[in-house]
Amino acid sequence: IGPYKGGLRFHPSVNLSIIKFLGFEQIFKNSLTGLPIGGGKGGSDFDPKGKSDNEIMKFCQSFMTELYRHIGPNVDVPAGDIGVGGREIGYLYGQYKRIRNANDQGVLTGKGLTYGGSLARTQATGFGIIYFVEEMLKEAGKTINGQTVVISGAGNVAIYAVKKAQELGAKVVAMCDSSGYIVDEDGIDLPLVQQIKEIERKRIKEYAVRKPSAKYFEGNKGIWTVKADVVIPCATQNEIDLNDAKIIVENGTFAVGEGANMPCTNEAVEYFLEKGVLLAPAKAANAGGVATSALEMSQNSMRLSWTFEEVDEKYDNYKQRVHRKNFYLRNGLQEMGFKYVEKDVKYEMLYVGKKLSSKVYDELMVAYAGPVYHKFRDYQADELID
Ligand code: NDP
Ligand code: 2IT
């Protein structure tokens, strides 16, 4: 169906099992977009924190010196994920070009606008989550306008989720990084967050130093105690466990949008569903990033650049599609959780708390080995369990 597609993660926690789960998620997510992309993921346990631009550049160059033989515009097309943003993609692309001596722009996405990047890609994941949550709220006769929102993280996904939520009239009161969280009852001052995070690359703690209305708290668990109508985790996997979910429900939250990949544990998901909390699952809710990456690949193949409006319009078509599929999945597969067992690629598939039928399980395993997973969409709910 297309080249492998997914992000690269640079974070000290990265290991083979994390990359496998992310790659597995990516297959389903990419499938939902309906665009010609297979699923992939990669990364390193390199820790970019505290490193100079020069050190980051050298690492990216060494990484690409090995990676280049495995990727290509028609083979596997990486993009960013945690710890990999525009700066890193630029260094990686520079080294790829140096080695290949060719204008293979489609080899990476999330590139700078002057060398084949697409308008709207930087914003796409964060905007996409909010578009998706807004669609979900509409179905329930609500809107994000006027709601109090907590958004975890302070990276690429979180920042543009805050931006779109604010544009649609929400009040975002808390964000975090891996050291701690800030609460600003006046509403987050996003340009200040961007200055601290995107430009100065400092800790979120700095926000409270510069903004008197804000408070900073050490540790990142406490962010889930902040009262909100809508909660949007945009930092990392398993950041909301059952205990956090109970606090979130107690605080009166009625909707959760998964911005990060698998940010809620299975137990938390089950609890939210049991309590009637609206849940936008990551595979659908954060697919806007990779969908726009696929549009960047199309532009690179055509050797043309679309305007923001053109990208946005195509993206809008995709949005409608993903949303419709999510509701199909709600009746079919949406409540399927992937319980991740031990350190190897061993998944126990659950559908509404029961094991998936062996037939569907086998199909999914074949899907994992190759690009034929589209079939799973065709199952009816009663075929899913033995
Ligand atoms: P970034 O590296 O830009 O930002 C990650 C943010 O989350 C940082 O603020 C980081 O803080 C924080 N964070 C990381 N780990 C933890 C933790 N254990 N506890 C609290 N905060 C933490 O990454 P992205 O914004 O790109 O990615 C965020 C999530 O969204 C990931 O799950 C990623 O897989 C997912 N995603 C990303 C897409 C993209 O297009 N970039 C697309 C779809 C999903 P600190 O700086 O202290 O590490
Ligand atoms: O998890 C993800 O979807 C991403 N990190 C983005 C992947 C991409 O190829 O744009």
Side-chain angles (χ1 to χ4, degrees), residues 159 182 184 188-200 204 206-212 214:
I159 285 174
I182 48 159
D184 189 343
I188 295 288
D189 175 349
L190 191 62
L192 178 56
V193 173
Q194 287 180 287
Q195 173 66 27
I196 293 166
K197 283 290 177 187
E198 293 183 334
I199 298 168
E200 298 174 23
I204 200 74
E206 196 57 32
Y207 182 96
V209 175
R210 301 187 199 176
K211 186 99 191 306

mmCIF file with all atom_site columns, all heavy atoms in Angstrom, residues 159 182 184 188-200 204 206-212 214:
data_model
loop_
_atom_site.group_PDB
_atom_site.id
_atom_site.type_symbol
_atom_site.label_atom_id
_atom_site.label_alt_id
_atom_site.label_comp_id
_atom_site.label_asym_id
_atom_site.label_entity_id
_atom_site.label_seq_id
_atom_site.pdbx_PDB_ins_code
_atom_site.Cartn_x
_atom_site.Cartn_y
_atom_site.Cartn_z
_atom_site.occupancy
_atom_site.B_iso_or_equiv
_atom_site.pdbx_formal_charge
_atom_site.auth_seq_id
_atom_site.auth_comp_id
_atom_site.auth_asym_id
_atom_site.auth_atom_id
_atom_site.pdbx_PDB_model_num
ATOM 1   N N   . ILE A 1 159 ? 1.821  21.744 22.246 1.00 0.00 ? 159 ILE A N   1
ATOM 2   C CA  . ILE A 1 159 ? 1.793  23.188 21.934 1.00 0.00 ? 159 ILE A CA  1
ATOM 3   C C   . ILE A 1 159 ? 0.703  23.514 20.911 1.00 0.00 ? 159 ILE A C   1
ATOM 4   O O   . ILE A 1 159 ? -0.082 24.452 21.093 1.00 0.00 ? 159 ILE A O   1
ATOM 5   C CB  . ILE A 1 159 ? 3.186  23.662 21.450 1.00 0.00 ? 159 ILE A CB  1
ATOM 6   C CG1 . ILE A 1 159 ? 4.131  23.771 22.663 1.00 0.00 ? 159 ILE A CG1 1
ATOM 7   C CG2 . ILE A 1 159 ? 3.110  25.001 20.692 1.00 0.00 ? 159 ILE A CG2 1
ATOM 8   C CD1 . ILE A 1 159 ? 5.582  24.079 22.345 1.00 0.00 ? 159 ILE A CD1 1
ATOM 9   N N   . ILE A 1 182 ? 2.756  23.063 35.307 1.00 0.00 ? 182 ILE A N   1
ATOM 10  C CA  . ILE A 1 182 ? 2.361  24.428 35.643 1.00 0.00 ? 182 ILE A CA  1
ATOM 11  C C   . ILE A 1 182 ? 0.843  24.535 35.586 1.00 0.00 ? 182 ILE A C   1
ATOM 12  O O   . ILE A 1 182 ? 0.200  23.905 34.757 1.00 0.00 ? 182 ILE A O   1
ATOM 13  C CB  . ILE A 1 182 ? 2.965  25.475 34.669 1.00 0.00 ? 182 ILE A CB  1
ATOM 14  C CG1 . ILE A 1 182 ? 2.766  25.045 33.199 1.00 0.00 ? 182 ILE A CG1 1
ATOM 15  C CG2 . ILE A 1 182 ? 4.426  25.738 34.980 1.00 0.00 ? 182 ILE A CG2 1
ATOM 16  C CD1 . ILE A 1 182 ? 2.845  26.155 32.201 1.00 0.00 ? 182 ILE A CD1 1
ATOM 17  N N   . ASP A 1 184 ? -2.010 27.612 35.375 1.00 0.00 ? 184 ASP A N   1
ATOM 18  C CA  . ASP A 1 184 ? -2.242 29.055 35.207 1.00 0.00 ? 184 ASP A CA  1
ATOM 19  C C   . ASP A 1 184 ? -3.741 29.258 35.034 1.00 0.00 ? 184 ASP A C   1
ATOM 20  O O   . ASP A 1 184 ? -4.293 29.027 33.948 1.00 0.00 ? 184 ASP A O   1
ATOM 21  C CB  . ASP A 1 184 ? -1.469 29.573 33.981 1.00 0.00 ? 184 ASP A CB  1
ATOM 22  C CG  . ASP A 1 184 ? -1.501 31.101 33.901 1.00 0.00 ? 184 ASP A CG  1
ATOM 23  O OD1 . ASP A 1 184 ? -2.359 31.707 34.586 1.00 0.00 ? 184 ASP A OD1 1
ATOM 24  O OD2 . ASP A 1 184 ? -0.689 31.672 33.158 1.00 0.00 ? 184 ASP A OD2 1
ATOM 25  N N   . ILE A 1 188 ? -3.310 29.441 29.833 1.00 0.00 ? 188 ILE A N   1
ATOM 26  C CA  . ILE A 1 188 ? -1.897 29.359 29.419 1.00 0.00 ? 188 ILE A CA  1
ATOM 27  C C   . ILE A 1 188 ? -1.560 30.449 28.400 1.00 0.00 ? 188 ILE A C   1
ATOM 28  O O   . ILE A 1 188 ? -2.299 30.667 27.436 1.00 0.00 ? 188 ILE A O   1
ATOM 29  C CB  . ILE A 1 188 ? -1.614 27.964 28.800 1.00 0.00 ? 188 ILE A CB  1
ATOM 30  C CG1 . ILE A 1 188 ? -1.763 26.844 29.833 1.00 0.00 ? 188 ILE A CG1 1
ATOM 31  C CG2 . ILE A 1 188 ? -0.251 27.922 28.109 1.00 0.00 ? 188 ILE A CG2 1
ATOM 32  C CD1 . ILE A 1 188 ? -0.679 26.767 30.885 1.00 0.00 ? 188 ILE A CD1 1
ATOM 33  N N   . ASP A 1 189 ? -0.438 31.126 28.647 1.00 0.00 ? 189 ASP A N   1
ATOM 34  C CA  . ASP A 1 189 ? 0.090  32.120 27.705 1.00 0.00 ? 189 ASP A CA  1
ATOM 35  C C   . ASP A 1 189 ? 0.972  31.347 26.714 1.00 0.00 ? 189 ASP A C   1
ATOM 36  O O   . ASP A 1 189 ? 2.151  31.077 26.987 1.00 0.00 ? 189 ASP A O   1
ATOM 37  C CB  . ASP A 1 189 ? 0.900  33.146 28.521 1.00 0.00 ? 189 ASP A CB  1
ATOM 38  C CG  . ASP A 1 189 ? 1.600  34.171 27.650 1.00 0.00 ? 189 ASP A CG  1
ATOM 39  O OD1 . ASP A 1 189 ? 1.631  33.985 26.413 1.00 0.00 ? 189 ASP A OD1 1
ATOM 40  O OD2 . ASP A 1 189 ? 2.121  35.148 28.213 1.00 0.00 ? 189 ASP A OD2 1
ATOM 41  N N   . LEU A 1 190 ? 0.401  30.965 25.576 1.00 0.00 ? 190 LEU A N   1
ATOM 42  C CA  . LEU A 1 190 ? 1.118  30.056 24.671 1.00 0.00 ? 190 LEU A CA  1
ATOM 43  C C   . LEU A 1 190 ? 2.394  30.654 24.073 1.00 0.00 ? 190 LEU A C   1
ATOM 44  O O   . LEU A 1 190 ? 3.413  29.966 24.002 1.00 0.00 ? 190 LEU A O   1
ATOM 45  C CB  . LEU A 1 190 ? 0.180  29.537 23.570 1.00 0.00 ? 190 LEU A CB  1
ATOM 46  C CG  . LEU A 1 190 ? 0.775  28.384 22.758 1.00 0.00 ? 190 LEU A CG  1
ATOM 47  C CD1 . LEU A 1 190 ? 1.075  27.158 23.611 1.00 0.00 ? 190 LEU A CD1 1
ATOM 48  C CD2 . LEU A 1 190 ? -0.136 28.004 21.597 1.00 0.00 ? 190 LEU A CD2 1
ATOM 49  N N   . PRO A 1 191 ? 2.384  31.935 23.656 1.00 0.00 ? 191 PRO A N   1
ATOM 50  C CA  . PRO A 1 191 ? 3.649  32.484 23.147 1.00 0.00 ? 191 PRO A CA  1
ATOM 51  C C   . PRO A 1 191 ? 4.787  32.372 24.171 1.00 0.00 ? 191 PRO A C   1
ATOM 52  O O   . PRO A 1 191 ? 5.935  32.127 23.798 1.00 0.00 ? 191 PRO A O   1
ATOM 53  C CB  . PRO A 1 191 ? 3.300  33.952 22.853 1.00 0.00 ? 191 PRO A CB  1
ATOM 54  C CG  . PRO A 1 191 ? 1.824  33.913 22.557 1.00 0.00 ? 191 PRO A CG  1
ATOM 55  C CD  . PRO A 1 191 ? 1.262  32.861 23.466 1.00 0.00 ? 191 PRO A CD  1
ATOM 56  N N   . LEU A 1 192 ? 4.450  32.487 25.450 1.00 0.00 ? 192 LEU A N   1
ATOM 57  C CA  . LEU A 1 192 ? 5.487  32.341 26.478 1.00 0.00 ? 192 LEU A CA  1
ATOM 58  C C   . LEU A 1 192 ? 5.994  30.891 26.531 1.00 0.00 ? 192 LEU A C   1
ATOM 59  O O   . LEU A 1 192 ? 7.205  30.643 26.605 1.00 0.00 ? 192 LEU A O   1
ATOM 60  C CB  . LEU A 1 192 ? 4.944  32.777 27.851 1.00 0.00 ? 192 LEU A CB  1
ATOM 61  C CG  . LEU A 1 192 ? 5.902  32.647 29.038 1.00 0.00 ? 192 LEU A CG  1
ATOM 62  C CD1 . LEU A 1 192 ? 7.211  33.403 28.797 1.00 0.00 ? 192 LEU A CD1 1
ATOM 63  C CD2 . LEU A 1 192 ? 5.236  33.161 30.330 1.00 0.00 ? 192 LEU A CD2 1
ATOM 64  N N   . VAL A 1 193 ? 5.068  29.926 26.462 1.00 0.00 ? 193 VAL A N   1
ATOM 65  C CA  . VAL A 1 193 ? 5.485  28.513 26.428 1.00 0.00 ? 193 VAL A CA  1
ATOM 66  C C   . VAL A 1 193 ? 6.368  28.273 25.207 1.00 0.00 ? 193 VAL A C   1
ATOM 67  O O   . VAL A 1 193 ? 7.420  27.615 25.297 1.00 0.00 ? 193 VAL A O   1
ATOM 68  C CB  . VAL A 1 193 ? 4.251  27.569 26.372 1.00 0.00 ? 193 VAL A CB  1
ATOM 69  C CG1 . VAL A 1 193 ? 4.685  26.116 26.161 1.00 0.00 ? 193 VAL A CG1 1
ATOM 70  C CG2 . VAL A 1 193 ? 3.412  27.693 27.638 1.00 0.00 ? 193 VAL A CG2 1
ATOM 71  N N   . GLN A 1 194 ? 5.982  28.820 24.064 1.00 0.00 ? 194 GLN A N   1
ATOM 72  C CA  . GLN A 1 194 ? 6.760  28.603 22.833 1.00 0.00 ? 194 GLN A CA  1
ATOM 73  C C   . GLN A 1 194 ? 8.163  29.209 22.944 1.00 0.00 ? 194 GLN A C   1
ATOM 74  O O   . GLN A 1 194 ? 9.143  28.622 22.504 1.00 0.00 ? 194 GLN A O   1
ATOM 75  C CB  . GLN A 1 194 ? 6.016  29.171 21.620 1.00 0.00 ? 194 GLN A CB  1
ATOM 76  C CG  . GLN A 1 194 ? 4.813  28.301 21.261 1.00 0.00 ? 194 GLN A CG  1
ATOM 77  C CD  . GLN A 1 194 ? 4.051  28.838 20.064 1.00 0.00 ? 194 GLN A CD  1
ATOM 78  O OE1 . GLN A 1 194 ? 3.353  29.830 20.163 1.00 0.00 ? 194 GLN A OE1 1
ATOM 79  N NE2 . GLN A 1 194 ? 4.194  28.190 18.929 1.00 0.00 ? 194 GLN A NE2 1
ATOM 80  N N   . GLN A 1 195 ? 8.214  30.400 23.551 1.00 0.00 ? 195 GLN A N   1
ATOM 81  C CA  . GLN A 1 195 ? 9.514  31.044 23.757 1.00 0.00 ? 195 GLN A CA  1
ATOM 82  C C   . GLN A 1 195 ? 10.417 30.135 24.614 1.00 0.00 ? 195 GLN A C   1
ATOM 83  O O   . GLN A 1 195 ? 11.574 29.879 24.266 1.00 0.00 ? 195 GLN A O   1
ATOM 84  C CB  . GLN A 1 195 ? 9.286  32.409 24.449 1.00 0.00 ? 195 GLN A CB  1
ATOM 85  C CG  . GLN A 1 195 ? 10.558 33.130 24.882 1.00 0.00 ? 195 GLN A CG  1
ATOM 86  C CD  . GLN A 1 195 ? 11.427 33.581 23.688 1.00 0.00 ? 195 GLN A CD  1
ATOM 87  O OE1 . GLN A 1 195 ? 10.907 33.806 22.589 1.00 0.00 ? 195 GLN A OE1 1
ATOM 88  N NE2 . GLN A 1 195 ? 12.728 33.685 23.900 1.00 0.00 ? 195 GLN A NE2 1
ATOM 89  N N   . ILE A 1 196 ? 9.851  29.606 25.699 1.00 0.00 ? 196 ILE A N   1
ATOM 90  C CA  . ILE A 1 196 ? 10.644 28.789 26.629 1.00 0.00 ? 196 ILE A CA  1
ATOM 91  C C   . ILE A 1 196 ? 11.013 27.443 26.002 1.00 0.00 ? 196 ILE A C   1
ATOM 92  O O   . ILE A 1 196 ? 12.149 26.980 26.098 1.00 0.00 ? 196 ILE A O   1
ATOM 93  C CB  . ILE A 1 196 ? 9.855  28.568 27.949 1.00 0.00 ? 196 ILE A CB  1
ATOM 94  C CG1 . ILE A 1 196 ? 9.693  29.894 28.693 1.00 0.00 ? 196 ILE A CG1 1
ATOM 95  C CG2 . ILE A 1 196 ? 10.530 27.521 28.831 1.00 0.00 ? 196 ILE A CG2 1
ATOM 96  C CD1 . ILE A 1 196 ? 8.667  29.879 29.826 1.00 0.00 ? 196 ILE A CD1 1
ATOM 97  N N   . LYS A 1 197 ? 10.041 26.827 25.342 1.00 0.00 ? 197 LYS A N   1
ATOM 98  C CA  . LYS A 1 197 ? 10.255 25.450 24.868 1.00 0.00 ? 197 LYS A CA  1
ATOM 99  C C   . LYS A 1 197 ? 10.848 25.374 23.459 1.00 0.00 ? 197 LYS A C   1
ATOM 100 O O   . LYS A 1 197 ? 11.783 24.615 23.217 1.00 0.00 ? 197 LYS A O   1
ATOM 101 C CB  . LYS A 1 197 ? 8.930  24.679 24.906 1.00 0.00 ? 197 LYS A CB  1
ATOM 102 C CG  . LYS A 1 197 ? 8.553  24.253 26.308 1.00 0.00 ? 197 LYS A CG  1
ATOM 103 C CD  . LYS A 1 197 ? 9.512  23.170 26.766 1.00 0.00 ? 197 LYS A CD  1
ATOM 104 C CE  . LYS A 1 197 ? 9.280  22.721 28.176 1.00 0.00 ? 197 LYS A CE  1
ATOM 105 N NZ  . LYS A 1 197 ? 10.342 21.795 28.635 1.00 0.00 ? 197 LYS A NZ  1
ATOM 106 N N   . GLU A 1 198 ? 10.271 26.148 22.521 1.00 0.00 ? 198 GLU A N   1
ATOM 107 C CA  . GLU A 1 198 ? 10.726 26.005 21.132 1.00 0.00 ? 198 GLU A CA  1
ATOM 108 C C   . GLU A 1 198 ? 12.008 26.801 20.870 1.00 0.00 ? 198 GLU A C   1
ATOM 109 O O   . GLU A 1 198 ? 12.820 26.400 20.047 1.00 0.00 ? 198 GLU A O   1
ATOM 110 C CB  . GLU A 1 198 ? 9.635  26.491 20.159 1.00 0.00 ? 198 GLU A CB  1
ATOM 111 C CG  . GLU A 1 198 ? 8.401  25.605 20.173 1.00 0.00 ? 198 GLU A CG  1
ATOM 112 C CD  . GLU A 1 198 ? 7.317  26.007 19.163 1.00 0.00 ? 198 GLU A CD  1
ATOM 113 O OE1 . GLU A 1 198 ? 7.234  27.194 18.773 1.00 0.00 ? 198 GLU A OE1 1
ATOM 114 O OE2 . GLU A 1 198 ? 6.548  25.135 18.773 1.00 0.00 ? 198 GLU A OE2 1
ATOM 115 N N   . ILE A 1 199 ? 12.151 27.942 21.558 1.00 0.00 ? 199 ILE A N   1
ATOM 116 C CA  . ILE A 1 199 ? 13.308 28.786 21.260 1.00 0.00 ? 199 ILE A CA  1
ATOM 117 C C   . ILE A 1 199 ? 14.439 28.567 22.276 1.00 0.00 ? 199 ILE A C   1
ATOM 118 O O   . ILE A 1 199 ? 15.547 28.216 21.909 1.00 0.00 ? 199 ILE A O   1
ATOM 119 C CB  . ILE A 1 199 ? 12.888 30.271 21.155 1.00 0.00 ? 199 ILE A CB  1
ATOM 120 C CG1 . ILE A 1 199 ? 11.891 30.408 19.982 1.00 0.00 ? 199 ILE A CG1 1
ATOM 121 C CG2 . ILE A 1 199 ? 14.103 31.195 20.957 1.00 0.00 ? 199 ILE A CG2 1
ATOM 122 C CD1 . ILE A 1 199 ? 11.169 31.709 19.888 1.00 0.00 ? 199 ILE A CD1 1
ATOM 123 N N   . GLU A 1 200 ? 14.106 28.719 23.550 1.00 0.00 ? 200 GLU A N   1
ATOM 124 C CA  . GLU A 1 200 ? 15.182 28.611 24.549 1.00 0.00 ? 200 GLU A CA  1
ATOM 125 C C   . GLU A 1 200 ? 15.462 27.161 24.960 1.00 0.00 ? 200 GLU A C   1
ATOM 126 O O   . GLU A 1 200 ? 16.480 26.877 25.582 1.00 0.00 ? 200 GLU A O   1
ATOM 127 C CB  . GLU A 1 200 ? 14.813 29.459 25.780 1.00 0.00 ? 200 GLU A CB  1
ATOM 128 C CG  . GLU A 1 200 ? 14.666 30.938 25.447 1.00 0.00 ? 200 GLU A CG  1
ATOM 129 C CD  . GLU A 1 200 ? 14.160 31.754 26.628 1.00 0.00 ? 200 GLU A CD  1
ATOM 130 O OE1 . GLU A 1 200 ? 14.324 31.326 27.788 1.00 0.00 ? 200 GLU A OE1 1
ATOM 131 O OE2 . GLU A 1 200 ? 13.574 32.823 26.381 1.00 0.00 ? 200 GLU A OE2 1
ATOM 132 N N   . ILE A 1 204 ? 9.763  23.735 31.758 1.00 0.00 ? 204 ILE A N   1
ATOM 133 C CA  . ILE A 1 204 ? 8.457  24.401 31.887 1.00 0.00 ? 204 ILE A CA  1
ATOM 134 C C   . ILE A 1 204 ? 8.378  25.212 33.187 1.00 0.00 ? 204 ILE A C   1
ATOM 135 O O   . ILE A 1 204 ? 7.621  26.184 33.293 1.00 0.00 ? 204 ILE A O   1
ATOM 136 C CB  . ILE A 1 204 ? 7.286  23.380 31.780 1.00 0.00 ? 204 ILE A CB  1
ATOM 137 C CG1 . ILE A 1 204 ? 5.968  24.074 31.426 1.00 0.00 ? 204 ILE A CG1 1
ATOM 138 C CG2 . ILE A 1 204 ? 7.129  22.572 33.060 1.00 0.00 ? 204 ILE A CG2 1
ATOM 139 C CD1 . ILE A 1 204 ? 5.844  24.539 30.017 1.00 0.00 ? 204 ILE A CD1 1
ATOM 140 N N   . GLU A 1 206 ? 10.245 27.365 34.157 1.00 0.00 ? 206 GLU A N   1
ATOM 141 C CA  . GLU A 1 206 ? 10.575 28.738 33.805 1.00 0.00 ? 206 GLU A CA  1
ATOM 142 C C   . GLU A 1 206 ? 9.312  29.592 33.611 1.00 0.00 ? 206 GLU A C   1
ATOM 143 O O   . GLU A 1 206 ? 9.310  30.807 33.855 1.00 0.00 ? 206 GLU A O   1
ATOM 144 C CB  . GLU A 1 206 ? 11.390 28.674 32.500 1.00 0.00 ? 206 GLU A CB  1
ATOM 145 C CG  . GLU A 1 206 ? 12.154 29.896 32.109 1.00 0.00 ? 206 GLU A CG  1
ATOM 146 C CD  . GLU A 1 206 ? 13.144 30.387 33.131 1.00 0.00 ? 206 GLU A CD  1
ATOM 147 O OE1 . GLU A 1 206 ? 13.724 29.580 33.873 1.00 0.00 ? 206 GLU A OE1 1
ATOM 148 O OE2 . GLU A 1 206 ? 13.314 31.631 33.185 1.00 0.00 ? 206 GLU A OE2 1
ATOM 149 N N   . TYR A 1 207 ? 8.229  28.952 33.182 1.00 0.00 ? 207 TYR A N   1
ATOM 150 C CA  . TYR A 1 207 ? 6.966  29.666 32.918 1.00 0.00 ? 207 TYR A CA  1
ATOM 151 C C   . TYR A 1 207 ? 6.493  30.383 34.180 1.00 0.00 ? 207 TYR A C   1
ATOM 152 O O   . TYR A 1 207 ? 6.083  31.555 34.137 1.00 0.00 ? 207 TYR A O   1
ATOM 153 C CB  . TYR A 1 207 ? 5.910  28.667 32.431 1.00 0.00 ? 207 TYR A CB  1
ATOM 154 C CG  . TYR A 1 207 ? 4.565  29.276 32.075 1.00 0.00 ? 207 TYR A CG  1
ATOM 155 C CD1 . TYR A 1 207 ? 4.255  29.606 30.755 1.00 0.00 ? 207 TYR A CD1 1
ATOM 156 C CD2 . TYR A 1 207 ? 3.591  29.504 33.054 1.00 0.00 ? 207 TYR A CD2 1
ATOM 157 C CE1 . TYR A 1 207 ? 3.020  30.137 30.421 1.00 0.00 ? 207 TYR A CE1 1
ATOM 158 C CE2 . TYR A 1 207 ? 2.352  30.039 32.733 1.00 0.00 ? 207 TYR A CE2 1
ATOM 159 C CZ  . TYR A 1 207 ? 2.074  30.354 31.412 1.00 0.00 ? 207 TYR A CZ  1
ATOM 160 O OH  . TYR A 1 207 ? 0.848  30.881 31.093 1.00 0.00 ? 207 TYR A OH  1
ATOM 161 N N   . ALA A 1 208 ? 6.548  29.658 35.323 1.00 0.00 ? 208 ALA A N   1
ATOM 162 C CA  . ALA A 1 208 ? 6.052  30.232 36.584 1.00 0.00 ? 208 ALA A CA  1
ATOM 163 C C   . ALA A 1 208 ? 6.972  31.357 37.077 1.00 0.00 ? 208 ALA A C   1
ATOM 164 O O   . ALA A 1 208 ? 6.518  32.260 37.787 1.00 0.00 ? 208 ALA A O   1
ATOM 165 C CB  . ALA A 1 208 ? 5.915  29.140 37.636 1.00 0.00 ? 208 ALA A CB  1
ATOM 166 N N   . VAL A 1 209 ? 8.228  31.300 36.683 1.00 0.00 ? 209 VAL A N   1
ATOM 167 C CA  . VAL A 1 209 ? 9.160  32.372 37.056 1.00 0.00 ? 209 VAL A CA  1
ATOM 168 C C   . VAL A 1 209 ? 8.755  33.671 36.343 1.00 0.00 ? 209 VAL A C   1
ATOM 169 O O   . VAL A 1 209 ? 8.800  34.760 36.920 1.00 0.00 ? 209 VAL A O   1
ATOM 170 C CB  . VAL A 1 209 ? 10.623 31.989 36.670 1.00 0.00 ? 209 VAL A CB  1
ATOM 171 C CG1 . VAL A 1 209 ? 11.587 33.136 36.935 1.00 0.00 ? 209 VAL A CG1 1
ATOM 172 C CG2 . VAL A 1 209 ? 11.046 30.712 37.390 1.00 0.00 ? 209 VAL A CG2 1
ATOM 173 N N   . ARG A 1 210 ? 8.318  33.517 35.083 1.00 0.00 ? 210 ARG A N   1
ATOM 174 C CA  . ARG A 1 210 ? 8.013  34.706 34.261 1.00 0.00 ? 210 ARG A CA  1
ATOM 175 C C   . ARG A 1 210 ? 6.546  35.131 34.321 1.00 0.00 ? 210 ARG A C   1
ATOM 176 O O   . ARG A 1 210 ? 6.210  36.211 33.857 1.00 0.00 ? 210 ARG A O   1
ATOM 177 C CB  . ARG A 1 210 ? 8.402  34.428 32.800 1.00 0.00 ? 210 ARG A CB  1
ATOM 178 C CG  . ARG A 1 210 ? 9.864  34.084 32.669 1.00 0.00 ? 210 ARG A CG  1
ATOM 179 C CD  . ARG A 1 210 ? 10.291 33.969 31.231 1.00 0.00 ? 210 ARG A CD  1
ATOM 180 N NE  . ARG A 1 210 ? 11.551 33.208 31.125 1.00 0.00 ? 210 ARG A NE  1
ATOM 181 C CZ  . ARG A 1 210 ? 12.142 32.877 30.011 1.00 0.00 ? 210 ARG A CZ  1
ATOM 182 N NH1 . ARG A 1 210 ? 11.625 33.266 28.845 1.00 0.00 ? 210 ARG A NH1 1
ATOM 183 N NH2 . ARG A 1 210 ? 13.261 32.182 30.003 1.00 0.00 ? 210 ARG A NH2 1
ATOM 184 N N   . LYS A 1 211 ? 5.668  34.258 34.809 1.00 0.00 ? 211 LYS A N   1
ATOM 185 C CA  . LYS A 1 211 ? 4.235  34.573 34.803 1.00 0.00 ? 211 LYS A CA  1
ATOM 186 C C   . LYS A 1 211 ? 3.702  34.449 36.234 1.00 0.00 ? 211 LYS A C   1
ATOM 187 O O   . LYS A 1 211 ? 3.460  33.342 36.729 1.00 0.00 ? 211 LYS A O   1
ATOM 188 C CB  . LYS A 1 211 ? 3.512  33.609 33.845 1.00 0.00 ? 211 LYS A CB  1
ATOM 189 C CG  . LYS A 1 211 ? 2.067  33.900 33.618 1.00 0.00 ? 211 LYS A CG  1
ATOM 190 C CD  . LYS A 1 211 ? 1.810  34.670 32.315 1.00 0.00 ? 211 LYS A CD  1
ATOM 191 C CE  . LYS A 1 211 ? 0.392  35.187 32.213 1.00 0.00 ? 211 LYS A CE  1
ATOM 192 N NZ  . LYS A 1 211 ? -0.662 34.189 32.386 1.00 0.00 ? 211 LYS A NZ  1
ATOM 193 N N   . PRO A 1 212 ? 3.486  35.567 36.906 1.00 0.00 ? 212 PRO A N   1
ATOM 194 C CA  . PRO A 1 212 ? 3.103  35.545 38.324 1.00 0.00 ? 212 PRO A CA  1
ATOM 195 C C   . PRO A 1 212 ? 1.790  34.812 38.610 1.00 0.00 ? 212 PRO A C   1
ATOM 196 O O   . PRO A 1 212 ? 1.614  34.270 39.710 1.00 0.00 ? 212 PRO A O   1
ATOM 197 C CB  . PRO A 1 212 ? 2.963  37.035 38.676 1.00 0.00 ? 212 PRO A CB  1
ATOM 198 C CG  . PRO A 1 212 ? 3.658  37.773 37.585 1.00 0.00 ? 212 PRO A CG  1
ATOM 199 C CD  . PRO A 1 212 ? 3.646  36.916 36.373 1.00 0.00 ? 212 PRO A CD  1
ATOM 200 N N   . ALA A 1 214 ? 0.924  32.051 37.549 1.00 0.00 ? 214 ALA A N   1
ATOM 201 C CA  . ALA A 1 214 ? 1.089  30.598 37.423 1.00 0.00 ? 214 ALA A CA  1
ATOM 202 C C   . ALA A 1 214 ? 1.815  29.992 38.616 1.00 0.00 ? 214 ALA A C   1
ATOM 203 O O   . ALA A 1 214 ? 2.604  30.652 39.282 1.00 0.00 ? 214 ALA A O   1
ATOM 204 C CB  . ALA A 1 214 ? 1.871  30.288 36.151 1.00 0.00 ? 214 ALA A CB  1
#
